[in-house]
Amino acid sequence: MEEQIKDARMKFKCEENWDQMEVTGDARFCGVCQKKVYDLSDKKMAYFLQIMEENNNNVCGRLQPDQLVKPAHHEPSVWKKWTMAAMVFIGFGAAAQKADAQGFPMGKIAPSETKKPEHIREATLGIILAPEPAENASLRSLHQYLVKNCKVPATANGRLIASFSINKNGVISNISLSEQLPAPVRMEVLRVIKTAPKWKGTNYTAAPPYTLHLGFKKGKIMPYGS
């Protein structure tokens, strides 16, 4: 089975009306930006890569929401959760007292919704970024894993370089770290890398050792690539 398009990224999103664009061959023509716009909402990855290559990675396209990278989800802090809960509780209590005084029944009313059929989903238009090489995506995922799981003292400031290989099973091996930061920081980074998920997809065994640059500021790992 051919691979579906997934985790695509857009440089920016366009508000133009797809249905009003002129049909031209296997695409449509946008009169605003004077470019072809490709409908990738039902296409496979092979077609996507072909279109990107033919257009020198400069493509306007139409994708479904589930084909795009999911936005990062940030959980509110514990303090914020308690504050919100307290506000809801106080507001609900006050409203209940008022309702009882007036003799009206009270309850949470769900807004009416008109669900669109599954086949009519809102697609997104915009300039599509070139697919990230598999090894770059894996390095980025490893960096995110370290950000989430690495616990070092708030005094940790500076840079650290991790070098490693990937064996035939996708497991990170032959790990070595530079010595710019104190031993406890290096040991924690080493511990987390050893517990990282396996790399999937491309065969990485023939590639040279990979390097991941980590910047620390007040004990926090800085964004990828910084």
Coordinates of all heavy atoms in Angstrom, one line a residue, residues 60 62 143 145 148:
C60 N 2.2 25.5 -4.2 CA 1.0 25.8 -3.5 C 0.1 24.6 -3.5 O -0.1 24.0 -4.6 CB 0.3 27.0 -4.1 SG 1.0 28.6 -3.6
R62 N -3.3 22.1 -1.6 CA -4.5 21.9 -0.8 C -4.4 20.6 -0.1 O -4.3 19.6 -0.7 CB -5.7 22.0 -1.8 CG -7.1 21.8 -1.1 CD -8.1 22.1 -2.2 NE -9.5 22.0 -1.7 CZ -10.3 21.0 -1.7 NH1 -9.9 19.8 -2.2 NH2 -11.5 21.0 -1.2
H143 N 15.4 15.5 19.9 CA 15.5 16.8 20.6 C 14.3 17.0 21.5 O 14.4 17.4 22.7 CB 15.8 17.9 19.7 CG 16.0 19.3 20.3 ND1 14.9 20.1 20.7 CD2 17.1 19.9 20.7 CE1 15.4 21.2 21.2 NE2 16.7 21.1 21.3
Y145 N 12.2 14.9 22.6 CA 12.2 13.9 23.7 C 13.1 14.3 24.8 O 12.8 14.1 26.0 CB 12.7 12.5 23.1 CG 12.6 11.4 24.1 CD1 11.4 10.7 24.4 CD2 13.8 10.9 24.7 CE1 11.4 9.7 25.3 CE2 13.7 9.9 25.6 CZ 12.5 9.3 25.9 OH 12.5 8.2 26.8
K148 N 11.6 17.1 26.9 CA 10.5 16.6 27.8 C 11.0 15.8 29.0 O 10.4 15.9 30.1 CB 9.5 15.8 26.9 CG 8.3 15.3 27.7 CD 7.4 14.5 26.8 CE 6.2 14.0 27.6 NZ 5.3 13.2 26.7

